[in-house]
Every structure is written in structure tokens, then in C-alpha cells.
């Protein structure tokens, strides 16, 4: 079930389950996970993209042992807030994934998440090679943390 509203998404989450955040790129999928209290996002892994079926199988296999109750997909809006082809691609991925995974799925505006992740990695004095390896799942953790902070605010 795809929910565009974070309060509805939060209400649909099973109790004491973690949430996964996804940064969908054209070549990779960055994955981050939360704790079961929905307070901290942690970068997990970057999956190399192939075809949707293979991507979904790899993603579901990665998430299965982690008791994930919901998914937050980064929505790559344009800087003016409009939705372009990349947003359409992300929404199509979510629709296809919803046929295979039955938990709630929502979106989080991911504008500048990769910029923030790059800045954090630079501040940590991460080598260029290592930054290239981890940037996608670090960006996924920024996306997920934004959604977790909003959920905490909604739940007050």
C-alpha cells in the first residue's frame, strides 16, 4: 500500500518494526534502515541495479531478516518542487514493489540528500574511492532520517 502522507504511513506501520529508506538511482539503490523505535537511520548497503525483478529480489532478500515494517523512497523532485521523469520512475518502482511487498510505502523529498551525504563524507575525510562506494546508502540514511524525524513530530 502506497501512502503519500507521512501521518498515514506512520499509523500503518506495525508496532516495533524498523523502516527502510531507499535512494533509487539509475545504476544503484542505496539502502538504510532504522531501529525499531524509529529514531535513528543507519546506512546499510548499496545494491547494483539490473532489471526490476532482480532489483526487487535483492532488496527483499536484504530486508527480510530485519523485520522491516515500512519503506521510505526518496522522491527526486526538481528544485522548484515539481516532479519530473525521475519522480515518475520512482513512483513506478514503488507501484511495482507494492505488488511484491505488502507493507506501507511512502515517499520523502530527497532534494539535496546526496549533497548533504557528500558533505558529511568530506568532513569525515573519506577518500574519493570510499565516497563513491558509500554515497548512495549514506544518502538513503539522510532520506530515512528526515522521514523518521517527521514521524516523531507527528507522534509527538
Amino acid at each position: 500500500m502506497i501512502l503519500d502522507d507521512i501521518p498515514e504511513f506512520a499509523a500503518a506501520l506495525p508496532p516495533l518494526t524498523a523502516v527502510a529508506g531507499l535512494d533509487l538511482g539509475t545504476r544503484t539503490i542505496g539502502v538504510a534502515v532504522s531501529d525499531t523505535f524509529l529514531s535513528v537511520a543507519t546506512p546499510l548497503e548499496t545494491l547494483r541495479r539490473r532489471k526490476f525483478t532482480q532489483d526487487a529480489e535483492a532488496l527483499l532478500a536484504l530486508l527480510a531478516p530485519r523485520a522491516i515494517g515500512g519503506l521510505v523512497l526518496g522522491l527526486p523532485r526538481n528544485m522548484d518542487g515539481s516532479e519530473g521523469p525521475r519522480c515518475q520512475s520512482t513512483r513506478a518502482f514503488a507501484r511495482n514493489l507494492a505488488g511484491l511487498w505488502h507493507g506501507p510505502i511512502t515517499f520523502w523529498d530527497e532534494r539535496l540528500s546526496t549533497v548533504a551525504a557528500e558533505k558529511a563524507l568530506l568532513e569525515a575525510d573519506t577518500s574519493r574511492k570510499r565516497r563513491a562506494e558509500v554515497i548512495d546508502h549514506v544518502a538513503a540514511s539522510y532520506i530515512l532520517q528526515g522521514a523518521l524525524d517527521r514521524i516523531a513530530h507527528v507522534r509527538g
Side-chain angles (χ1 to χ4, degrees):
M1 124 186 62
I2 298 174
L3 305 165
D4 277 322
D5 186 60
I6 290 286
E8 287 179 22
F9 173 77
L13 290 173
L16 293 176
T17 58
V19 175
L22 306 179
D23 181 24
L24 295 173
T26 54
R27 291 184 294 244
T28 60
I29 301 173
V31 183
V33 294
S34 76
D35 59 328
T36 58
F37 298 109
L38 305 181
S39 57
V40 178
T42 304
L44 182 62
E45 190 172 319
T46 298
L47 301 173
R48 191 77 34 213
R49 290 196 76 171
R50 294 182 294 273
K51 294 184 177 183
F52 172 79
T53 304
Q54 294 168 307
D55 295 346
E57 286 173 3
L59 181 62
L60 296 175
L62 182 65
L63 300 179
R66 292 178 168 80
I68 300 297
L71 298 176
V72 176
L73 277 66
L75 194 61
R77 293 183 185 273
N78 296 322
M79 289 309 287
D80 66 0
S82 64
E83 292 191 11
R86 288 188 59 227
C87 283
Q88 294 169 359
S89 174
T90 298
R91 289 186 184 279
F93 184 92
R95 281 191 303 274
N96 291 333
L97 193 59
L100 303 172
W101 191 77
H102 302 290
I105 298 172
T106 195
F107 303 98
W108 187 257
D109 186 346
E110 72 165 43
R111 282 180 281 186
L112 302 178
S113 62
T114 302
V115 173
E118 181 85 21
K119 183 178 179 196
L121 290 168
L122 284 168
E123 288 174 1
D125 202 27
T126 308
S127 72
R128 181 175 301 202
K129 182 178 186 288
R130 183 69 180 142
R131 280 196 313 269
E133 292 169 358
V134 302
I135 189 70
D136 295 313
H137 56 273
V138 171
S141 74
Y142 272 86
I143 292 164
L144 181 55
Q145 191 63 55
L148 294 176
D149 292 347
R150 177 72 178 120
I151 290 169
H153 179 75
V154 166
R155 290 184 171 174

